[in-house]
């Protein structure tokens, strides 16, 4: 493999304004007078001078590195007013904006780590040199409280050369959030990101109770339907703090998104990855819901996944503890190329690969007896030592571009020719 010198490290200066919802401990809750109402009442009781001074502090703090702050604060005020039954039309604008500010927080979404990337072809391929490809890469950012969010980068790559990644915008924009449905298990969340000037400004942070502690390890795939239409999907792990489950992100253009939970007995775990097209007329997914083996799942419904078949079991020492995928299968001439991860001694995470039959992906044609990428002495230390991990790769001109995370800390790239990769299988 050829390793890139690019190191994508966390940047604590990149912050996003997200909702803040303080609540009373159960033993101190006041019936009929919740904490939200009490905070609003205090703002309503402020004198004109107190209001002006506090509003100036908000402006000085946020306007320096955020865009459209007043619009964001006003949306948050409208949410709070609706929640407590306040007639928003009776509140002067300056006071309404300040109420909105009391229920927001500035959050450094990649302060601690930036890792576990996934990659897809960018919808816009204009202005590239011959043979080049522009890509969108998602990354898992970790901020305060070990909470995971999704952030994005744009880059380009010409096979035979190393990739380049554009500098991320210093501004990060929160999505406009629209909930549909009732209850945590049925809620569909629509995210409108039109305020982002490019996708590096978009941040997807936890919204629903199922995501309270994080949106982890997004596995993006460009999906082609039987009629030729293209869609972007991404499976991710929603972690509530006590339970994990798989959910699905979908988008047509990376300017708006939909999030919804997956249903079925196979959706209650981590690490699901969707095939980039239907196989034999059905949706297909790679899973690891027993936390040990790699499974093949098939369904007529994109949102419901049950049962499945174990297709790859731990065989070599570097994968004795457990196995899983490193992103969606990639269709190549020889079959489905599936990047894998294995856990071995001292909880070392390595990456490998196997080849699945194109017509029947339950058949494993070959697999790597040795890791493709393993923690190196120079890049083994970080938030979680001895880990290399990816959530998706890209193939162009018989070359694999593999972005991957190191030590749950930062991300980098490597490339390898498919012929060399396949020759290393048995």
């Amino acid at each position: 493999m050829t390793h890139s010198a690019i190191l994508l490290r966390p940047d604590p200066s990149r912050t996003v304004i997200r909702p803040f919802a303080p609540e009373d401990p159960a033993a101190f809750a006041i019936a009929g007078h919740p904490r939200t109402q009490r905070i609003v009442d205090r703002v309503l009781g402020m004198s004109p001078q107190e209001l002006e001074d506090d509003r100036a502090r908000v402006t000085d703090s946020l306007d320096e590195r955020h865009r459209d702050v007043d619009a964001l604060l006003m949306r948050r005020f409208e949410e709070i007013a609706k929640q407590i039954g306040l007639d928003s039309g009776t509140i002067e604008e300056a006071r309404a904006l300040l109420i909105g500010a009391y229920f927001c927080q500035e959050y450094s979404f990649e302060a601690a780590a930036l890792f576990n990337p996934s990659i897809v072809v960018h919808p816009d391929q204009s202005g590239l040199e011959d043979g080049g490809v522009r890509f969108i890469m998602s990354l898992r950012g970790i901020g305060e409280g070990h909470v995971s969010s999704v952030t994005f980068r744009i880059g380009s790559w010409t096979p035979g050369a190393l990739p380049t990644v554009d500098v991320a915008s210093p501004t990060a924009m929160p999505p406009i959030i629209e909930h549909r449905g009732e209850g945590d298990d049925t809620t569909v969340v629509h995210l409108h990101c039109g305020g982002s000037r490019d996708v590096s400004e978009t941040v997807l942070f936890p919204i629903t109770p199922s995501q309270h502690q994080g949106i982890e390890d997004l596995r993006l795939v460009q999906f082609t339907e039987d009629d030729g239409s293209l869609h972007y999907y991404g499976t991710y792990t929603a972690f509530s703090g006590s339970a994990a489950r798989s959910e699905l992100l979908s988008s047509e253009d990376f300017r708006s998104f939909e999030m919804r939970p997956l249903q079925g007995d196979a959706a209650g775990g981590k690490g699901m990855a969707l095939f980039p097209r239907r196989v034999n007329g059905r949706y297909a997914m790679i899973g690891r819901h027993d936390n040990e083996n790699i499974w093949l799942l098939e369904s007529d419904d994109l949102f419901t996944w049950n049962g499945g078949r174990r297709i790859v079991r731990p065989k070599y020492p570097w994968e004795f503890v457990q196995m899983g995928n490193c992103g969606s299968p990639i269709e190549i001439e020889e079959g489905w190329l599936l990047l894998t991860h294995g856990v071995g001694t001292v909880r070392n995470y390595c990456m490998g690969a196997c080849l699945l039959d194109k017509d029947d992906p339950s058949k494993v044609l070959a697999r790597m007896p040795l890791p493709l990428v393993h923690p190196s002495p120079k890049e083994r230390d970080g938030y979680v030592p001895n880990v290399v991990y990816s959530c998706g790769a890209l193939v162009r001109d018989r070359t694999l571009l593999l972005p991957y995370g190191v030590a749950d800390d930062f991300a980098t790239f490597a490339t390898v020719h498919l012929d060399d990769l396949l020759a290393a299988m048995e």
Side-chain angles (χ1 to χ4, degrees), residues 172-190:
M173 298 294 292
I176 298 174
I177 302 165
E178 178 186 356
H179 295 264
R180 297 179 186 174
E182 298 179 2
D184 185 38
D185 287 331
T186 59
T187 296
V188 176
V189 180
H190 291 262

Side-chain angles (χ1 to χ4, degrees), residues 184 208-214 216 238-245:
D184 185 38
T208 66
S210 68
Q211 304 166 356
H212 181 266
Q213 196 61 29
E216 302 179 357
F239 183 49
S240 69
S242 59
R245 73 180 191 189

Side-chain angles (χ1 to χ4, degrees), residues 337-416:
L337 176 64
L338 177 63
L339 297 174
T340 66
H341 73 258
V343 181
T345 56
V346 202
R347 199 170 174 263
N348 274 249
Y349 274 70
C350 299
M351 286 186 288
C354 63
L355 184 67
L356 309 179
D357 185 85
K358 189 172 292 191
D359 296 324
D360 181 2
S362 68
K363 295 180 180 178
V364 179
L365 304 180
R367 59 193 288 189
M368 297 187 69
L370 297 174
L372 177 66
V373 185
H374 57 85
S376 70
K378 294 181 180 180
E379 297 177 345
R380 60 178 293 179
D381 297 324
Y383 195 63
V384 181
N386 303 315
V387 173
V388 290
Y389 197 91
S390 179
C391 291
L394 191 65
V395 167
R396 279 292 182 275
D397 293 341
R398 300 285 295 175
T399 302
L400 177 77
L401 174 63
L402 175 63
Y404 64 96
V406 178
D408 282 12
D409 188 353
F410 63 93
T412 186
F413 291 86
T415 60
V416 62

Side-chain angles (χ1 to χ4, degrees), residues 252-323:
E252 304 299 317
D253 54 10
F254 285 90
R255 296 186 66 79
S256 62
F257 300 86
E258 180 183 275
M259 288 176 164
R260 67 167 68 206
L262 295 178
Q263 306 295 326
D265 57 36
K270 297 183 175 184
M272 299 181 75
L274 184 67
F275 279 66
R277 64 169 174 84
R278 295 178 191 248
V279 180
N280 300 319
R282 308 185 77 193
Y283 295 106
M285 187 88 79
I286 295 293
R288 62 175 183 94
H289 40 294
D290 67 350
N291 288 327
E292 183 179 12
N293 306 282
I294 294 177
W295 291 64
L296 174 67
L297 301 146
E298 298 164 295
S299 178
D300 296 318
D301 176 5
L302 179 60
F303 308 114
T304 304
W305 298 89
N306 290 295
R309 291 175 282 174
R310 278 186 291 262
I311 60 170
V312 187
R313 293 172 169 82
K315 180 178 180 181
Y316 303 107
W318 58 276
E319 57 192 26
F320 273 2
V321 174
Q322 71 180 48
M323 297 190 68

Side-chain angles (χ1 to χ4, degrees), residues 37 39 52 72 91 144 218 221 253 269 279 338 342-343 359 366-367 382 393 397 401 411 425:
Q37 180 69 66
I39 295 170
E52 181 180 344
L72 186 153
I91 308 300
E144 177 189 351
L218 177 65
V221 64
D253 54 10
V279 180
L338 177 63
V343 181
D359 296 324
R367 59 193 288 189
D397 293 341
L401 174 63
M425 295 185 183

Side-chain angles (χ1 to χ4, degrees), residues 94-263:
R95 205 174 295 270
L97 291 170
L98 192 58
I99 290 172
Y102 274 99
F103 293 92
C104 290
Q105 70 175 118
E106 194 175 19
Y107 184 72
S108 180
F109 52 91
E110 58 179 63
L114 187 68
F115 61 109
N116 290 4
S118 183
I119 189 171
V120 289
V121 174
H122 196 295
D124 179 11
Q125 293 295 305
S126 62
L128 294 167
E129 63 180 75
D130 290 346
V133 61
R134 182 176 293 112
F135 59 80
I136 292 176
M137 182 168 59
S138 68
L139 295 122
R140 176 180 171 185
I142 292 186
E144 177 189 351
H146 193 75
V147 174
S148 297
S149 302
V150 177
T151 181
F152 299 94
R153 297 289 189 276
I154 298 172
S156 58
W157 172 56
T158 301
L162 292 172
T164 60
V165 177
D166 298 348
V167 175
S169 171
T171 300
M173 298 294 292
I176 298 174
I177 302 165
E178 178 186 356
H179 295 264
R180 297 179 186 174
E182 298 179 2
D184 185 38
D185 287 331
T186 59
T187 296
V188 176
V189 180
H190 291 262
L191 307 174
H192 306 280
C193 304
S196 297
R197 294 177 182 173
D198 71 60
V199 73
S200 75
E201 294 190 347
T202 296
V203 182
L204 308 181
F205 46 74
I207 296 167
T208 66
S210 68
Q211 304 166 356
H212 181 266
Q213 196 61 29
I215 301 171
E216 302 179 357
D217 299 342
L218 177 65
R219 287 160 161 82
L220 289 172
V221 64
Q222 186 181 52
F223 187 90
T224 304
E225 265 293 4
D226 290 343
D227 62 4
S229 60
L230 299 176
H231 310 275
Y232 292 99
Y233 293 120
T235 47
Y236 61 90
T237 299
F239 183 49
S240 69
S242 59
R245 73 180 191 189
S246 291
E247 298 185 352
L248 186 73
L249 182 78
S250 59
S251 180
E252 304 299 317
D253 54 10
F254 285 90
R255 296 186 66 79
S256 62
F257 300 86
E258 180 183 275
M259 288 176 164
R260 67 167 68 206
L262 295 178
Q263 306 295 326

